[in-house]
Amino acid sequence: MSHVYEERATMIAAGELQSFVPFGREHCRNHPNAVNLQLRQLQPASELWSSDGAAGLVGSLQEVTLHEREKERWQLRKGTAPYEVEYEEELYVAGNMVIWSHGSKNQASYVYKAFTVDSTVQQALWCNFTVPQSKKDVKDVVEKTVCIVQSTCVNVHSMSGKDFISPLPFQVRTDLNLFIREPLPTLFSMLHPLDEIAPVVCKSTGLFESRLQYVTDSALRVVFTCHEPSIIMTYDTQQCTHTVWTLRKVTPEEQTTVLKCPDQPGPVHTPNAAPSFISTHLRNVTRLDSPASPLHCHALHNQSRIPASPGLHSRVHSPSISNMAALSRAHSPGIAVPSFSGAQRFNMSCHTPSPRGHSILASPNSTLNETALLPEMEPILPDLCIEQLWTETSAISREKGCQAAKVFITSDLCENRYLCFLVESHQQLRCVKFLESNETSQLIFASVTVITAKDAAPLEVSKVFVPGLLSPTFSVQNHQPQLSTPLENISTPARAAVQHMSRLEEVGMPSPVLEVRSAKQHHESSWLEDSSFQQAAPHIHSLRDAVSNRVTLELSSGSMLRITIPEVATSELVKRCLQAIRFILPKDTAMKVLVKWYNSYNAPGGPSMHLEWNLFVTCLMTMMGYNTERLTWTRNLHFEVPLSPVIAPKKARPADTGSDEDWGYLRCSDYHWQVSMRPAVAVQGLEPVGPPGGVDNHESALGLESSALLFPHIPVLFYVLHLLYEDLKLDELQRSGARALVGLLQQLAKDLQLEDFIDLYWRDYPSFIKTFKEACVIDQTQMELMTWPVFLDGEAPCVFSWLSRCLRGQDVTPFPHLPGICERTKLLVLSYALYVVGDEDAISTNMLKYLSRLSILYPVMGYVTTHYLTCLFFYTAGFTLKDLESVPFGVALPIRDAIYQCREHPCSDWSEEVCALIGRQDLTRQAHKVTLTVGLNVMLEPPVTSEADEEEDGMTDLHPEVTGLIWSQDLRVQEVRRLLQSSRPIRVNVPHLPEVSDHEYIEEKENKLLQLCQRTMALPVGRGLFTLFSYHPVPTEPLPVPKLNLTGRAPPRNTMVDLNSGNIDVPPNMTSWPSFHNGVAAGLKIAPASQVESAWIAYNKPKSADLANEYAGFLMALGLNGHLTKLATLNIHDYLTKGHEMTSIGLLLGVSAAKLGTMDMSITRLLSIHIPALLPPTSTELDVPHSVQVAAVVGIGLVYQGTGHRHNAEVLLAEIGRPPGPEMEYCTDRESYSLAAGLALGMVCLGHGSNLIGMTDLNVPEQLYQYMVGGHRRMHAGINREKHKSPSYQIKEGDTINVDVTCPGATLALAMIYLKTNNRSIADWLKAPDTMFLLDFIKPEFLLLRTLARCLIMWDEIFPNADWVTSNVPQIIQENIGNQEQTSVSEDLNMETIVQAHDYIIAGGCLAVGFRFAGSANSDAFDCLYKFARNFMQCLTTSTATVTGQYNLQTCLSMVLLAVSMVMAGSGNLKVLQLCRFLHKRTFGEMNFGFHMAHHMALGLLFLGGGRYTLSTSNSAIAALLCALYPHFPAHSTDNRYHLQALRHLAVLAAEPRLLVPVDVDTLKPCYALLDVTYKETQWYEETTVELMAPTMLPELNLLKRIKVKGPRYWELNIDISKGTQHLQSILSKDGVLYVKLRAGQLPYKDDPQGWKSLLAPNLNNRSAEVRTFKAVRTLERGDLCETFSLWQMKLVLELCESRVLQQRLRDTRRQGHGLLLSSEFLPVMKSSADRALDRWLCVKGDICLSYMRGQPMNSDTDVNMLACFLVYHSIPSLKNMVASDLEGTITLG
């Protein structure tokens, strides 16, 4: 009986039929395009009433003409996006439209993208282009695209939004033979739409030599391409053979060879298209093919193959879809796999028998005329090369017109791979088996098998392709053609059989996996009994659109039906058993097993899903030779599976009434026995029930059929199923599967007499296994027929006992493992070896010590902790925390412990995936580089605005969440906004005295307003610093620029006061520079990370000329934040040619700052045009405004900063002392030009000191010293010396240097060149004079510069205390400054000189302290500078002010205030804010525009970037600050005499983000977190750790060693800076967002500052293992354990607690018990409870244990559950193993 079903043709039950209509057709019907007129006719008439009622267009689907049917084409493929739900994609083409749609079982189809092009679409397909990356370690980017081919071009649309148009180099024509010369290349490739089209070369290997030439043979057609493996298939139209080629990239040597001999095209093989190239051949059979067309797509020749009937319109898709499908940058042609699995079909009936595919491949022995290429053609470098792999032999008859209509690669259930091609004219499917050689690049093709078929399509069943081959009734023949190879020699599961239909409602599909035993069984007559019925029904004409396990049946009537082929199995357990069987059995045997199972399982009326396992057991045991009818437990399965074709071919009719047999069946069932064993039954006094036995107990012993298919393989199958059972035990979700499998394993173990295994199963399921009494007798001769593997001789592998031995520290043997099937076993065994045993090489070199039969090894990793290695290993195996939930709690505990340790002490550079595994989402999220605004995903709502705030003040974009945390106790940010706002009218409060007339009163108010406006105009400089980099502009909107409001309101009536009334004189152009500063302030808001394009910059250009100055400032700001590099060169030229002075200044400084230190030549040329000294002597003199020249000179310094460029240094050195010219040129504002040249020279040679290479002849320091102290002017060197021969007629300087002009620039140049060099000899030049005589010869403000320059050179000697500051004052001044009041001043001493010198030198010293400690918030420096600032403020109100002068005191105070703001930059210090606010209110006396600018710059620095930025002390930052804070501020708003105002904004270049903002990863809100910041050891202090509460400003990163997020509120996190600051810099540059994760049971500091509430939160973390251990112990005490699974887990938990890993951690005094996953107090209690329970049982039932030890049989009523628990808990080996260890008889029981 067991083989009855093998002899029949078996039917399988397929899914429901569904009518199929392409979705794109419906969508296109509503498109406003003429093509929908034809599409209307493709619908059934019943659907047209709903469109627009055009009755004249009504026509049924069958009436569509041939011409209209060609209008539409479509392809389907499986969805490629990473969606969880499987879906299908459709690409539909009609006319000039392409519709790309998605749809799935659960979701209706919808349009994903739709394209409309200018001309008719000839082909549309999906393509993938691979874009190689420049970095080696970065994976290539794959661009997924849709390619639309028209007659003249190819449109490529990528999913990322990029669009390309690749024109064809020629018009595609309809002529057939348009060859100019035969040898022209006929096959081309294009690896990317932006690449050139390149010919493909062919490498042919002969007997003696190999030849390389272009593909020029026009007799070949490419009929198929594939991505994996990278092959193409061609058809030779002359020799009528198919050939397979491998496609690869050309090597450099091959390219060279081709270029050397381009005149030998030779015989060529032209594979025409593979998805990584656009193939095209010059000679084509189709009407749309074009000679030399590099883009021959499948549709190009499709148009000529119009189907003869409406039902065949799908055949337009030719196999050479691949011709275009290849658009890919990867060499393997199939990255874009064509639809229909790469195979298309043709309709042979509508065309002459000439070949169809349109790619051509000449066979190697064909000869062509080897003429040279056209002489004017240059050879093009080829990209791809083809090499022949296989050609059809002459065994298969060669006839004209036998080109493959459909080609696909498929694999059978045993994963043998076949290349199948359908020859329609012969109704044959030819299958070529192939396999990969040891060299993966080489494929070996085996013999060909021919199967009769009308059509074929590849289907995926359980992720394995099974071709379903259908032969319609009219084409079936009753004889079988001769096969070149017997069919059984290949293991293809496919077989052609006929299907018949009944009224289109039911399709019985022949089995795609029917097994044919011999060639004589191919007769089909049994299917043709009802011929009259066959003719009446529409038949299946063809198959198309195979996706996964679904295929479309195209009927002769023209309609289409979609059908689903069933899977091999739905139960996970059955799938895994089949996997194991397929793994261990020979392929042909495995194939037979799988085919029989498939036919049984999918028979019509087959079992439901929950009965699948029963059917599988029955089917498998039958194939092993068991008579399942006579075994009691399998007979019970038969009752449960009455529909199995294996057991009962006919469906039994159910009886309406019961019978006595029903009760007998229930009494004998396994379930009844299980229930009867429960203690509850005994309590009720019911009589005990015996185990279910066979009804026919008197029968003879059961035997096995030795001729069964699987009989010889029973031991091997038993072993692999046992390993699968052990793997299932490691999965909580598969426990029921393990229990189901143990019944089958117990039966096999009994029959094979494997005592070890029987004992193991009994220990696992004592009460269940006890019911198995039957065994089948296998005699010795039958035993010898079986294949006995070596590994069955050893101990029965038990994964729990192996893990237990690991925990106890015993030696372990390698655990057997099935690659690809028992992956969980492998993962956990190696994890234990890695973490518990502590072998760090367990997952690399030492893997074989722990696992046998391994398939792959993991790469060796560097040395790190075993915790991290374990987590990393889990990740590489694809395991997640969710998967870990399914691992039994005892087994998972060491893994959880490793994860817990990693979570406690992670490193910031761990991979994102490992961080997700250990539950540190904060680290995972940190890997995504996000800014505060984007990353927080929090709507940063603007603060509630009052009416007064209605006007935009330009300061609304600060992050209130962050500033609210930094300054949570007061409203200082709002106060700063109030002080810096310039968009609202000023309050002009002037008392109206009775004696003042109204007119005078108005004048008085306007004078007062003019005075206040000096302050308002200075505010933007400070506002730019305050709002620095705080705004991300919207690309569609212009940048909002706050108004500079210079009007006033006078109380009490709030009357308007205006400066334009004409009552008072207002300086001309007063608002020019303030408007410029306002534009800079607005532009500086833009963050460097913003998306700014050239078009947006131009879009912001104002229409009104009044706002040109603002726009000029905006351009400079864009340069300072790095965006001006995106401005197109054309726009820069356009702006400069306008000749607007401000725009030129802003643009030149902006582009220079953006190209800082790059020596960019294009910018150098741009700047040189504006600097006469850099132009050739003969050049035309340009009229460049003086301020623009100053800006250009500073620009040179910025572009060449730190480069030491000799030519520029030489020119700039000369420019410092540039004399005035004869025609009044260079006569005005000379000071600012000289200063700019000095600053630029200092920047070019920044920090080089005496190492100025190649400049010794220039004597730079000596020349600068001369400029500083004066002397005879040297002859002007350089190319411009002719210009300076004639002296100025107006300014009489003579031959001496004008020190007043050159001193500041020279002093600062010396300071910058020797910055931080500690060069004492140069520093001594800069000492203040120590005699009164010399003091009289130097300006006091120059003393400030000299003191500052000297201190910057002696950088390491700057100390933050008052003594050091006063030590810079010469002795003579110190002696006389203190006693000026007490003693009479001698006549030689000028008290005014002494006091002024003293104050300026003190101010210089303070400024030096400010530079040295900029951005450090050093408390000593702050105290020192704050004290001096207070002193100067007091001096302003005392008599000393009259001696020093209000102006000088105000200057010194401003400098000290700037110094203290530099130190406290970004900190928002309240004391400094009070100073600034006090000076903000002073608008009388000497308070001019410049002083207001200084004070508000100080305020801006204090709150730099809204508290997110601070200042750096790098050389570049010092240089920028020297330019910006030059201690001579403008006297009025148009004053640029001594210093160009635009340079004030260069302070931005010194700003760097150092604010660290902790953000809770769960709420995405900024929060407080404690940090430990460790400083490196320096010469001034040892390594120090300070505790800071973040958000906080970090010190300079080069001073730090480590930053650590401290507990206990948040999980700890270490950022080690000693290895490099890149990681921390990337965090800080993205708004300083540091993600932190709150521990469970803890509250944020904001909600619970003291931590008292957190103490009340119960900490129940990580207690699940303890709770479950407790439950297991309680069950053991009650004696209720029917299986020992939970006991095993409890045992593993207890052993882990005693293991080496945890004991060592307990002894670690540093940890002091912290970081343990388990409570060390709880588990010993559990252990003693378990010990007591088992000891109690041993005292009462010790005889049972003794009987077991002696090997005595147990009584049927013995309670074996506790015995099994006892043996498991105490790790007592099985009886057989004890005998082997000489333990028998040594055990005594009291």
Side-chain angles (χ1 to χ4, degrees), residues 18-20 22 74 313 544 552-554 558-562:
Q18 294 178 331
S19 178
F20 176 77
W74 69 87
H313 65 280
R544 64 169 294 166
T552 300
L553 314 177
E554 216 172 314
S559 60
M560 290 176 287
L561 298 169
R562 195 84 170 144

Side-chain angles (χ1 to χ4, degrees), residues 492-504:
T492 174
R495 181 58 198 96
V498 184
Q499 76 147 47
H500 58 269
M501 305 182 61
S502 171
R503 296 187 187 87
L504 292 180

Side-chain angles (χ1 to χ4, degrees), residues 918 972 1078 1759 1777 1784:
I918 65 174
R972 66 184 79 184
N1078 199 39
D1759 179 14
N1777 291 337
E1784 190 179 13

Side-chain angles (χ1 to χ4, degrees), residues 810-826:
Q810 299 176 359
D811 290 338
V812 287
T813 54
F815 195 84
H817 156 65
L818 294 177
I821 299 165
C822 299
E823 287 302 307
R824 191 172 282 242
T825 305
K826 170 186 174 179

Side-chain angles (χ1 to χ4, degrees), residues 998-1293:
D998 287 350
H999 180 71
E1000 290 174 341
Y1001 179 60
I1002 291 173
E1003 280 189 11
E1004 198 173 335
K1005 282 196 293 186
E1006 290 183 7
N1007 280 317
K1008 174 74 171 175
L1009 176 62
L1010 183 60
Q1011 204 175 31
L1012 290 172
C1013 283
Q1014 300 297 317
R1015 182 180 70 191
T1016 304
M1017 292 186 295
L1019 294 178
V1021 184
R1023 193 180 69 243
L1025 296 170
F1026 176 53
T1027 59
L1028 184 66
F1029 303 155
S1030 60
Y1031 176 67
H1032 291 269
V1034 181
T1036 55
E1037 297 175 8
L1039 181 74
V1041 181
K1043 216 168 66 173
L1044 193 62
N1045 194 327
L1046 298 183
T1047 61
R1049 298 276 186 183
R1053 294 192 183 86
N1054 225 18
T1055 53
M1056 174 75 75
V1057 184
D1058 198 347
L1059 293 176
N1060 298 325
S1061 61
N1063 294 320
I1064 62 169
D1065 292 332
V1066 178
N1069 301 324
M1070 182 179 75
T1071 59
S1072 297
W1073 277 103
S1075 294
F1076 179 88
H1077 299 317
N1078 199 39
V1080 175
L1084 286 177
K1085 283 202 305 184
I1086 301 172
S1090 307
Q1091 297 298 317
V1092 172
E1093 300 298 333
S1094 179
W1096 184 79
I1097 299 174
Y1099 170 58
N1100 275 280
K1101 189 173 182 180
K1103 308 272 188 301
S1104 163
D1106 299 340
L1107 299 175
N1109 294 336
E1110 267 186 11
Y1111 187 66
F1114 169 71
L1115 290 175
M1116 179 177 174
L1118 287 177
L1120 293 171
N1121 53 28
H1123 291 304
L1124 206 55
T1125 53
K1126 298 164 190 169
L1127 185 63
T1129 311
L1130 191 64
N1131 289 356
I1132 294 177
H1133 178 264
D1134 184 42
Y1135 290 145
L1136 290 175
T1137 51
K1138 293 284 192 300
H1140 186 263
E1141 183 177 338
M1142 292 288 198
T1143 305
S1144 299
I1145 292 170
L1147 198 59
L1148 292 178
L1149 285 173
V1151 293
S1152 304
K1155 295 285 187 179
L1156 187 70
T1158 59
M1159 294 204 294
D1160 187 280
M1161 282 312 297
S1162 60
I1163 305 300
T1164 305
R1165 285 193 290 270
L1166 191 69
L1167 296 169
S1168 300
I1169 295 169
H1170 299 85
I1171 305 173
L1174 286 174
L1175 293 174
T1178 57
S1179 63
T1180 308
E1181 289 195 11
L1182 302 174
D1183 185 20
V1184 181
H1186 179 266
S1187 295
V1188 177
Q1189 289 187 35
V1190 173
V1193 167
V1194 175
I1196 288 289
L1198 290 169
V1199 175
Y1200 285 85
Q1201 187 181 91
T1203 59
H1205 192 275
R1206 176 187 161 109
H1207 174 64
N1208 284 330
E1210 182 180 2
V1211 171
L1212 291 170
L1213 184 63
E1215 289 302 285
I1216 294 174
R1218 179 178 71 173
E1223 303 293 337
M1224 280 300 294
E1225 65 266 30
Y1226 318 138
C1227 290
T1228 56
D1229 295 350
R1230 291 173 59 204
E1231 292 86 350
S1232 62
Y1233 186 87
S1234 178
L1235 173 66
L1239 291 171
L1241 173 63
M1243 284 194 273
V1244 170
C1245 304
L1246 186 63
H1248 280 249
S1250 302
N1251 302 320
L1252 290 170
I1253 300 171
M1255 294 193 207
T1256 48
D1257 58 319
L1258 296 180
N1259 297 320
V1260 176
E1262 291 82 359
Q1263 180 69 51
L1264 290 174
Y1265 180 68
Q1266 191 177 19
Y1267 281 144
M1268 197 170 67
V1269 297
H1272 191 75
R1273 179 182 289 120
R1274 300 183 182 182
M1275 281 301 296
H1276 202 283
I1279 54 177
N1280 289 301
R1281 60 178 178 271
E1282 295 299 322
K1283 290 184 179 180
H1284 303 299
K1285 279 191 173 178
S1286 305
S1288 170
Y1289 301 137
Q1290 303 291 327
I1291 300 172
K1292 304 296 183 183
E1293 288 186 349

Side-chain angles (χ1 to χ4, degrees), residues 1454-1658:
S1454 300
M1455 288 299 103
V1456 177
L1457 183 63
L1458 280 167
V1460 73
S1461 290
M1462 287 163 66
V1463 173
M1464 305 307 289
S1467 69
N1469 183 276
L1470 210 53
K1471 286 186 176 180
V1472 186
L1473 174 59
Q1474 288 168 346
L1475 284 180
C1476 293
R1477 186 169 65 172
F1478 173 77
L1479 292 170
H1480 172 85
K1481 293 176 182 175
R1482 289 177 67 95
T1483 56
F1484 48 85
E1486 292 284 343
M1487 291 297 288
N1488 58 24
F1489 171 76
F1491 292 140
H1492 283 302
M1493 182 186 282
H1495 302 154
H1496 292 97
M1497 274 186 78
L1499 185 58
L1501 288 173
L1502 189 64
F1503 287 85
L1504 190 59
R1508 292 174 301 115
Y1509 284 76
T1510 188
L1511 297 176
S1512 167
T1513 57
S1514 65
N1515 285 2
S1516 177
I1518 299 290
L1521 287 171
L1522 279 172
C1523 295
L1525 306 181
Y1526 178 70
H1528 192 116
F1529 282 85
H1532 48 81
S1533 62
T1534 55
D1535 179 14
N1536 286 294
R1537 177 178 176 181
Y1538 294 98
H1539 181 266
L1540 185 66
Q1541 289 186 36
L1543 302 183
R1544 298 290 172 194
H1545 300 284
L1546 293 184
V1548 172
L1549 297 177
E1552 65 176 5
R1554 292 216 300 265
L1555 182 73
L1556 201 60
V1557 184
V1559 173
D1560 192 309
V1561 73
D1562 299 315
T1563 63
L1564 295 182
K1565 295 275 189 185
C1567 59
Y1568 291 112
L1570 266 181
L1571 300 181
D1572 267 351
V1573 177
T1574 306
Y1575 287 81
K1576 288 179 190 170
E1577 184 179 352
T1578 66
Q1579 56 178 325
W1580 292 287
Y1581 51 84
E1582 297 177 351
E1583 183 177 308
T1584 313
T1585 300
V1586 295
E1587 188 177 86
L1588 302 173
M1589 179 65 84
T1592 184
M1593 198 69 78
L1594 294 178
E1596 288 199 73
L1597 304 190
N1598 61 336
L1599 302 175
L1600 299 183
K1601 181 178 182 181
R1602 183 173 54 255
I1603 295 175
K1604 176 183 175 184
V1605 178
K1606 284 184 69 176
R1609 304 279 184 103
Y1610 291 92
W1611 287 101
E1612 290 185 5
L1613 168 63
N1614 270 315
I1615 301 176
D1616 193 351
I1617 308 172
S1618 56
K1619 298 175 184 174
T1621 59
Q1622 293 81 8
H1623 178 59
L1624 186 55
Q1625 278 174 339
S1626 70
I1627 292 174
L1628 294 172
S1629 64
K1630 305 296 181 184
D1631 284 340
V1633 174
L1634 179 69
Y1635 287 102
V1636 294
K1637 185 169 176 59
L1638 198 66
R1639 288 175 181 261
Q1642 298 285 345
L1643 292 172
Y1645 286 99
K1646 197 171 183 181
D1647 300 337
D1648 183 18
Q1650 304 300 326
W1652 293 333
K1653 296 178 186 175
S1654 298
L1655 294 174
L1656 303 175

